Amino acid sequence: MKRIGVMTSGGDSPGMNAAIRAVVRTAIYHKLEVVGIRRGYQGMIDNDMSVMQTTDVSSIIQRGGTVLKTARSKDFMTPEGMKQAYDNLQAQHIDGLVLIGGDGTFRGANAFFDQYAIPAVGLPGTIDKDLSGTDFTIGFDTAVNTAVEAIDKIRDTADAHNRIFVVEVMGRDAGYIALYSGLSCGAEDILIPELKTDMGEVVTRILDDKRRKKDVHIIVVAEGDDFGNAEAVKAVLTDSVPDADIRVCVLGHIQRGGAPSMADRVLASRLGYAAVNALLRGEKQVMIGQINNEIVSTPFKEVVKQSAQIPADMAEMTVVLTA
Ligand code: F6P
């Protein structure tokens, strides 16, 4: 192996830059050439790539976003797009790839590598933490900390006004950001797709709180909750809780930005380093993750959504601590 490509794809996540830096530095240490592919799979199709040097990754470990840019490429999901991407990779003499992204990236990889044989290793880069094969994904810790900071602030103003707040956090199909931020902020209710949402119970709890003169009620809801988003939750409460003073706060994309936390910088560095070593060892079509503090490889085919796999004790604890 002489020349590898590295790209970030799908929704950006804090720590992607740290991963790119580790990949570039490890590859150059091993005398490999590294080609940075911009805007994920779309950059493969558009031949938007150039050789990276160590200096290209200086002073990026602390930055959110991704210096390689990212995209959710629709063109790549067509046979013509994939063929064009493959032809460009061949023309660039790329004989190994490091793909950093979330479930969409791995779905794209599965479709592509079913037809085209280039050794590739993936890294879990998504704030959602919805991939199997790793305990944590690059960006999750930072996103949750951003949400925690915001919800703590919301509690101050909710408390000052005796208000009910419905805070919507990201997680299209997974409730991990809601679960971890809700638990960390002592939310009165946490609504996630992995646990059946019973709005009747939420209403009962709010009425019970009012009886006990507890006037603040923070509900953290995952955007992908089975019941619906924050506005849907508010609509039910408006109808069912007399005199309720309810506000909605959708945290949105602030959860994707910002300087990565220490945990994300270390995880990204460790996985980026391991990815290049895995390619050099001849591993291919696997995602490199970290489970129980060990580096593990999981075939792309098995890297599927991890929703519905909230550990049983956490699910039970959530019920107990919000009761
Ligand atoms: O990358 C994951 C994620 O942040 C989800 O939590 C969210 O549903 C989605 O991306 C938003 O995507 P976009 O930035 O394309 O609107």
Side-chain angles (χ1 to χ4, degrees), residues 10-12 72 125-128 170-173 177 223 253 256:
D12 61 307
R72 301 188 197 276
T126 167
I127 63 166
D128 288 356
M170 275 189 168
R172 206 175 3 215
D173 306 299
I177 299 174
E223 66 174 329
H253 285 80
R256 286 240 297 264

Side-chain angles (χ1 to χ4, degrees), residues 59-304:
S59 294
I60 66 166
I61 193 169
Q62 77 284 12
R63 286 169 52 193
T66 158
V67 291
L68 287 176
K69 310 275 183 177
T70 187
R72 301 188 197 276
S73 173
K74 290 203 171 63
D75 296 344
F76 188 72
M77 298 319 286
T78 64
E80 300 74 31
M82 286 196 199
K83 167 89 172 55
Q84 186 63 58
Y86 180 72
D87 289 347
N88 288 338
L89 292 172
Q90 291 290 94
Q92 293 271 359
H93 304 290
I94 289 174
D95 45 20
L97 283 168
V98 178
L99 318 172
I100 308 167
D103 61 306
T105 303
F106 290 101
R107 273 200 309 274
N110 277 328
F112 186 63
F113 296 114
D114 276 347
Q115 297 174 64
Y116 301 106
I118 301 176
V121 163
L123 297 186
T126 167
I127 63 166
D128 288 356
K129 200 179 104 60
D130 58 352
L131 298 170
S132 59
T134 192
D135 286 340
F136 289 95
T137 55
I138 298 165
F140 173 73
D141 182 72
T142 309
V144 170
N145 279 303
T146 299
V148 165
E149 204 182 321
I151 299 166
D152 283 348
K153 288 175 177 164
I154 287 169
R155 188 177 285 282
D156 288 345
T157 176
D159 191 54
H161 285 267
N162 286 347
R163 278 178 172 156
I164 297 170
F165 259 88
V166 189
V167 185
E168 183 180 305
V169 298
M170 275 189 168
R172 206 175 3 215
D173 306 299
Y176 283 101
I177 299 174
L179 181 66
Y180 277 64
S181 62
L183 286 171
S184 304
C185 295
E188 278 71 18
D189 272 294
I190 301 170
L191 311 183
I192 56 176
E194 295 83 356
L195 298 174
K196 183 98 194 81
T197 293
D198 182 341
M199 278 309 294
E201 268 183 28
V202 175
V203 169
T204 306
R205 261 201 300 276
I206 292 175
L207 294 176
D208 197 43
D209 276 0
K210 278 185 172 294
R211 223 180 12 256
R212 291 186 290 139
K213 300 267 179 278
K214 183 178 177 194
D215 297 308
V216 177
H217 200 103
I218 308 275
I219 301 167
V220 177
V221 56
E223 66 174 329
D225 185 54
D226 54 337
F227 175 78
N229 63 10
E231 286 297 343
V233 172
K234 181 185 172 185
V236 170
L237 300 183
T238 305
D239 284 346
S240 322
V241 182
D243 306 325
D245 192 5
I246 310 166
R247 294 291 185 278
V248 161
C249 183
V250 178
L251 297 187
H253 285 80
I254 64 161
Q255 295 160 96
R256 286 240 297 264
S261 64
M262 173 279 289
D264 277 328
R265 294 181 201 197
V266 174
L267 177 68
S269 301
R270 201 173 169 195
L271 297 184
Y273 168 78
V276 175
N277 288 325
L279 276 177
L280 286 170
R281 274 197 308 274
E283 285 194 55
K284 52 188 165 184
Q285 276 57 343
V286 291
M287 186 193 84
I288 304 293
Q290 183 184 298
I291 296 179
N292 296 334
N293 209 20
E294 303 271 345
I295 299 296
V296 289
S297 303
T298 306
F300 285 158
K301 296 271 181 216
E302 290 171 27
V303 177
V304 287

Side-chain angles (χ1 to χ4, degrees), residues 10-91:
D12 61 307
S13 66
M16 280 184 161
N17 279 329
I20 295 167
R21 173 181 178 270
V23 169
V24 170
R25 292 194 164 208
T26 308
I28 290 174
Y29 179 89
H30 288 293
K31 311 265 183 289
L32 297 175
E33 269 192 324
V34 194
V35 174
I37 303 165
R38 281 176 284 276
R39 294 177 298 116
Y41 293 121
Q42 193 61 42
M44 289 184 186
I45 296 171
D46 299 341
N47 207 12
D48 189 3
M49 353 183 164
S50 54
V51 172
M52 296 179 83
Q53 309 295 347
T54 309
T55 47
D56 293 319
V57 292
S58 296
S59 294
I60 66 166
I61 193 169
Q62 77 284 12
R63 286 169 52 193
T66 158
V67 291
L68 287 176
K69 310 275 183 177
T70 187
R72 301 188 197 276
S73 173
K74 290 203 171 63
D75 296 344
F76 188 72
M77 298 319 286
T78 64
E80 300 74 31
M82 286 196 199
K83 167 89 172 55
Q84 186 63 58
Y86 180 72
D87 289 347
N88 288 338
L89 292 172
Q90 291 290 94

